[in-house]
Amino acid sequence: MTKRWKQRPPGSNWGDFGDDDELGRVNLLTPEKVLQGVREVEHGITFSLSLPLDYPGGTALNQRRYPPILRPTEDLAHNQDTFYNVVARDKIAPSFIDLWSDDVVTLWLQYSTQWDSLAHQGALFDADGDGVAEPVYYNGFRPGTDIVGPQEDAKGDGSGSVSFAKHLGCEHMAAHGMQGRGVLIDVSHLGSDWQPVDLKMLKDIMAKDNVVVEPGDMLLLHTGFATQVLAWEKNPGPEIQAMYPYLDATDESLLEWIAESQISALVSDNYAVEGWAPDSETPHTLLPIHNLCLFKLGIPLGELWYTEELATWLREHERSRFLLTAPPLRLPGTMGSPLTPVATV
C-alpha cells in the first residue's frame, strides 16, 4: 500500500477505502446492494439505457469528440475466400461456402452514452502539504506517473504500446461489475427549459414521486434531453448546448447532500449532469459536481444515458427503483467509456 498524500481535500474520502483504492464509492456496490437491486425485479422487463453510439451527431456538443468511424477490416467484407490463402493454399480453388464479416471502429469513448472514470478530472491541490498545489487525481494519484497519455506509438506502426491511465481507469469499474440498485428521479416534471435544479427542487420532486435514495444506490436523473437528442436525428444545431434541467452546483446544500447520501454513482440523460460554474477572479473549478464526485469522493458520473422508456414505465407503475447493470468496457487505461446500461424491473 502506498499513501500518495499527506493531506486530503476537505470533504473528501481519500484513504477511506484504502491507500491504493481506485474505485471510490463504487466500493459501496456490495453483494447486498446487488441483492437489493435483484429484489426490485418483478416483471423481468428490461430497458436499454444507451443512445445509439453515433448520437448526438456532429460536434456541436463537444468540439473534441467526434462520431465513431466504422469500416470493415481489409479482408473480411463478405469475402467468400477470406481464409483461402491461409488455410487452403495448396488447393487450386477454395471449397469453402462461408461468407465472413469483420469490422474495426475508431471510437471517441465519451461521445455518446458514457461513464466518466475517476481519471477523467483531477485538480490542483496541495496533497504534499508543502504549501504548493500540484496536479493530482482521486486518492492522490498523479499525472505523469499514474495517469499518462497520450504518448506517441513506440514503433510507429500501431503495434507499439501506448500508455494512458495506469490507475483510476474504467477497467476497475468493469472488473467490479457496476451492478446494483438504481434509483431514478424524474426531473422532467420541470419541463424542457435550460434551468438549474437546486436541492429544494430536487427534494420536492422526490417527495412528490415518493423517491428514497439510500447508501450504495446508483442515482439516475431523467430530464428528457437524450430523448430530444434522438429527435434531432444526428443533426443538432447550437440549441443542443441548452441541455434541459441540470443540477445547480452553486447550491452548497446540494453538494452536501450528494456527499452525505453515499450514492455509488451519479447519472443523467443530459450532457454533463451539471451546468458550468460562474466565472470568478479567484481560482475555481469549472464543474463543481465533477470536482466533488470524481476528484474528492470517487463517484463515477454517467452522461447522455437514454432514460425515457424507463422513466415512463416507472411513472406508470409508481416506482423509482430497479436493478441496474452498467459495466463500462474493460479496456485498460481509459478516462471514460461507452456502455449499454440495462435496467430490469
Side-chain angles (χ1 to χ4, degrees):
M1 307 243 326
T2 304
K3 191 168 184 176
R4 295 172 173 81
W5 49 272
K6 291 184 178 179
Q7 59 183 14
R8 65 184 188 178
S12 75
N13 61 7
W14 292 14
D16 287 2
F17 298 107
D19 291 336
D20 284 341
D21 174 59
E22 301 185 46
L23 285 174
R25 287 270 188 88
V26 173
N27 284 289
L28 300 182
L29 288 176
T30 61
E32 176 56 33
K33 206 69 208 179
V34 175
L35 289 174
Q36 286 181 4
V38 170
R39 293 183 192 114
E40 298 295 335
V41 179
E42 299 176 356
H43 303 273
I45 300 172
T46 59
F47 297 91
S48 172
L49 304 184
S50 177
L51 289 168
L53 293 183
D54 54 355
Y55 277 75
T59 59
L61 196 53
N62 188 315
Q63 72 274 20
R64 295 189 304 272
R65 297 172 182 172
Y66 295 82
I69 301 169
L70 184 66
R71 60 178 176 81
T73 54
E74 63 274 10
D75 62 348
L76 283 179
H78 318 295
N79 216 344
Q80 187 259 338
D81 61 348
T82 298
F83 297 112
Y84 171 64
N85 289 331
V86 177
V87 179
R89 62 182 62 198
D90 58 329
K91 295 179 180 288
I92 296 176
S95 59
F96 310 125
I97 62 170
D98 311 287
L99 300 180
W100 300 95
S101 299
D102 204 350
D103 49 17
V104 62
V105 64
T106 301
L107 191 64
W108 280 256
L109 298 179
Q110 290 162 280
Y111 181 74
S112 186
T113 300
Q114 64 181 271
W115 278 122
D116 284 346
S117 81
L118 306 188
H120 178 55
Q121 183 183 5
L124 294 175
F125 175 73
D126 180 19
D128 295 336
D130 58 3
V132 179
E134 59 273 346
V136 65
Y137 288 81
Y138 174 76
N139 216 10
F141 288 96
R142 308 299 176 95
T145 54
D146 302 311
I147 300 171
V148 183
Q151 294 180 339
E152 294 296 326
D153 179 75
K155 297 183 181 180
D157 60 359
S159 62
S161 175
V162 180
S163 181
F164 290 93
K166 297 180 181 178
H167 295 279
L168 301 179
C170 283
E171 69 271 22
H172 303 289
M173 297 166 60
H176 190 77
M178 295 306 295
Q179 187 176 60
R181 187 171 67 193
V183 179
L184 185 138
I185 301 177
D186 192 349
V187 185
S188 70
H189 288 304
L190 300 175
S192 60
D193 289 342
W194 188 19
Q195 61 175 311
V197 180
D198 61 22
L199 181 60
K200 181 182 184 305
M201 297 166 69
L202 196 68
K203 285 197 167 183
D204 285 347
I205 295 171
M206 293 172 65
K208 177 181 179 180
D209 291 345
N210 194 29
V211 178
V212 177
V213 177
E214 296 179 349
D217 287 341
M218 290 183 275
L219 177 59
L220 278 65
L221 305 173
H222 170 67
T223 72
F225 180 76
T227 311
Q228 178 59 55
V229 166
L230 283 178
W232 281 318
E233 297 182 335
K234 295 191 287 188
N235 189 32
E239 66 273 11
I240 197 173
Q241 295 292 333
M243 57 179 180
Y244 286 46
Y246 58 88
L247 292 185
D248 182 6
T250 66
D251 179 11
E252 290 294 332
S253 63
L254 176 61
L255 301 182
E256 293 172 4
W257 180 81
I258 292 173
E260 294 170 359
S261 67
Q262 294 287 305
I263 56 174
S264 57
L266 178 58
V267 175
S268 179
D269 65 342
N270 67 16
Y271 172 53
V273 181
E274 61 184 307
W276 311 122
D279 200 6
S280 170
E281 293 183 0
T282 59
H284 66 288
T285 176
L286 174 67
L287 295 169
I289 290 177
H290 278 62
N291 179 270
L292 173 68
C293 290
L294 299 178
F295 175 61
K296 292 184 178 181
L297 299 177
I299 301 174
L301 296 174
E303 298 164 345
L304 286 173
W305 288 31
Y306 176 67
T307 52
E308 182 70 40
E309 294 168 1
L310 172 65
T312 300
W313 191 94
L314 292 173
R315 190 182 311 120
E316 291 173 349
H317 291 80
E318 298 183 344
R319 287 180 50 178
S320 62
R321 293 177 169 183
F322 47 92
L323 172 66
L324 179 60
T325 306
L329 298 178
R330 194 170 183 176
L331 180 61
T334 48
M335 317 294 181
S337 174
L339 73 156
T340 305
V342 175
T344 310
V345 295

